[in-house]
Amino acid sequence: MCIRDRYQRRVHGDIHLKHGLFEGRTWSQLCDSIVSELPPKVYVSFDIDGLSPEYCPNTGTPVPGGISFDQVNYLIRSVVKSGREIVGFDLNEVAPGPDEGDEWDGNVGARLLYKPVSYTHLRAHETGRNLVCRLLLEKK
């Protein structure tokens, strides 16, 4: 289910997640399994081309049958609900559409970024921790 590299980073690929679903595990069970392997402090790196292509059709390498937007949000929320602290996150490979004003991929990317920010902020508020979030967006 999980691949570890030489730095002990955990990678949960789409194929492993799909196999779990095909074998009868629920998304909740898969998320619980992923979260149980995480340390107390977590850095989340997400490659947007892991989403099903209808969410980000302009990414460089769309994955047929990728995971859904809602599945990603459920997983992020599961990490936060577990009491783990998201210390940072990044989103990779968001690409603009070919037409002027085609903001679909950017919109999906922005929504994927604000979820961890809001979940982390809510968790900090619930636990009484002081949290300062600053999100810088650069328009090119």
Side-chain angles (χ1 to χ4, degrees), residues 62-131:
V63 177
I67 62 177
S68 78
F69 182 85
D70 292 332
Q71 287 174 313
V72 174
N73 285 325
Y74 186 91
L75 176 57
I76 292 168
R77 187 166 173 82
S78 297
V79 170
V80 173
K81 283 178 68 175
S82 75
R84 286 165 175 81
E85 180 181 1
I86 296 178
V87 296
F89 42 87
D90 64 69
L91 179 64
N92 303 291
E93 297 197 39
V94 177
D99 300 325
E100 181 72 29
D102 185 352
E103 300 172 355
W104 180 257
D105 291 45
N107 188 348
V108 171
R111 289 173 184 269
L112 280 175
L113 283 175
Y114 90 73
K115 291 294 185 174
V117 170
S118 60
Y119 291 151
T120 302
H121 180 72
L122 287 173
R123 182 69 181 161
H125 180 71
E126 290 170 359
T127 60
R129 287 193 309 228
N130 186 12
L131 176 71

